[in-house]
Amino acid sequence: AAILTTEDSGFFKHRGWVSPQLKTALRRNILGGGFRLGASSITMQMVKNVVLSREKTLSRKFQELFLAWYVEQLLTKERILELYFNAIEFGPRLYGIGAAARHYFGKSAADLTPLEAAFFSSILPSPKRRYVHYCHGALSPQWQKYLHRILSKMLERGRLNDEEYATAIASTLSFDQTEMTMTEKQCLDWVRKMTARPEPEPEPEADEK
């Protein structure tokens, strides 16, 4: 529910992609001479992670669109979600929600709280860069507010009830760092090396779709 809220709120209504948003993103990418805006639905992201390469070209985008349409004819929405959650990256060398839940919180995915689920939602689509929160062992006040915005959207869209929302807002996120083998500085240096790039990352915003 948390990831649907930020990644693809209309997942159960569309047939593979959201046409107006995709059209806008393609126009901006072509005019800008690059592919920074993807407007990818969860189905498109699943196809990209399971089937296609990471190449960012116009032809690859059209492959992604065709395969997303094809997959939507073959599989149920629930199966697409299952494949997506078991394939996407949630941090350095962390693929799939099961491994991620054990690493970050020392529990199974089925036992995640709404606040922990909102954290996973918040680190997409830059899970390596946002691994710094785990390096620090706690969230910054800014990121805590971002999680609260996600929870508020979940409540607004009926994905949390009032009691679940109140409990989540009153909770504090706690990482399980039993798997941490580096110091905080070593961990942060590792993330910097993996994510080094010239342009700064934009501020996070909960999906408004």
Side-chain angles (χ1 to χ4, degrees), residues 7-8 10-11 14-18 21-22 38-48 61 64-65 68 72 77 84 209:
E7 292 297 294
D8 187 353
F11 173 72
H14 64 62
R15 297 183 179 180
W17 60 82
V18 183
Q21 291 162 6
L22 181 65
S40 291
S41 67
I42 278 178
T43 308
M44 291 168 68
Q45 291 180 53
M46 186 277 285
V47 163
K48 179 173 61 179
K61 198 67 181 178
E64 190 178 310
L65 283 168
E72 290 267 350
K77 289 285 190 176
Y84 170 77
K209 292 182 282 187

Side-chain angles (χ1 to χ4, degrees), residues 89-95 104 127-129 131 190-191 194:
E89 186 178 29
F90 286 99
R93 304 172 189 167
L94 282 171
Y95 294 92
Y104 285 100
K128 285 193 181 79
R129 181 174 296 276
Y131 191 74
W190 183 48
V191 170
M194 284 189 295

Side-chain angles (χ1 to χ4, degrees), residues 180-197:
M180 175 67 86
T181 58
M182 298 177 281
T183 65
E184 181 179 345
K185 183 180 183 304
Q186 288 171 333
C187 184
L188 292 171
D189 287 344
W190 183 48
V191 170
R192 288 190 194 100
K193 288 176 183 177
M194 284 189 295
T195 60
R197 63 182 187 182

Side-chain angles (χ1 to χ4, degrees), residues 6-207:
T6 58
E7 292 297 294
D8 187 353
S9 193
F11 173 72
F12 282 98
K13 298 177 182 177
H14 64 62
R15 297 183 179 180
W17 60 82
V18 183
S19 297
Q21 291 162 6
L22 181 65
K23 187 185 296 184
T24 299
L26 285 173
R27 185 186 302 116
R28 289 180 181 176
N29 285 327
I30 291 169
L31 291 175
F35 270 82
R36 292 195 55 182
L37 299 169
S40 291
S41 67
I42 278 178
T43 308
M44 291 168 68
Q45 291 180 53
M46 186 277 285
V47 163
K48 179 173 61 179
N49 281 279
V50 175
V51 181
L52 297 174
S53 70
R54 301 286 177 157
E55 182 187 16
K56 292 187 177 182
T57 63
L58 187 59
S59 62
R60 211 301 305 274
K61 198 67 181 178
F62 283 121
Q63 282 182 312
E64 190 178 310
L65 283 168
F66 171 77
L67 288 170
W69 169 82
Y70 185 65
V71 162
E72 290 267 350
Q73 314 309 305
L74 281 181
L75 304 177
T76 65
K77 289 285 190 176
E78 289 77 10
R79 178 59 174 154
I80 292 169
L81 271 183
E82 181 184 7
L83 291 168
Y84 170 77
F85 281 117
N86 283 317
I88 60 172
E89 186 178 29
F90 286 99
R93 304 172 189 167
L94 282 171
Y95 294 92
I97 190 62
R102 288 190 297 273
H103 177 78
Y104 285 100
F105 302 114
K107 61 175 66 173
S108 70
D111 294 326
L112 291 171
T113 67
L115 184 62
E116 291 163 348
F119 169 75
F120 283 129
S121 175
S122 79
I123 64 175
L124 300 177
S126 304
K128 285 193 181 79
R129 181 174 296 276
R130 295 170 181 179
Y131 191 74
V132 294
H133 300 294
Y134 186 77
C135 294
H136 290 307
L139 299 180
S140 65
Q142 178 192 17
W143 212 260
Q144 186 73 32
K145 289 179 182 177
Y146 180 36
L147 263 60
H148 287 182
R149 293 206 303 273
I150 294 172
L151 291 166
S152 179
K153 281 289 181 186
M154 291 171 69
L155 175 68
E156 179 184 317
R157 294 172 182 176
R159 293 174 176 145
L160 285 179
N161 60 39
D162 290 337
E163 183 180 353
E164 290 168 331
Y165 174 75
T167 300
I169 289 293
S171 302
T172 301
L173 195 77
S174 177
F175 293 120
D176 180 344
Q177 291 197 307
T178 55
E179 292 189 11
M180 175 67 86
T181 58
M182 298 177 281
T183 65
E184 181 179 345
K185 183 180 183 304
Q186 288 171 333
C187 184
L188 292 171
D189 287 344
W190 183 48
V191 170
R192 288 190 194 100
K193 288 176 183 177
M194 284 189 295
T195 60
R197 63 182 187 182
E199 70 273 17
E201 184 182 18
E203 291 298 314
E205 285 295 338
D207 176 28

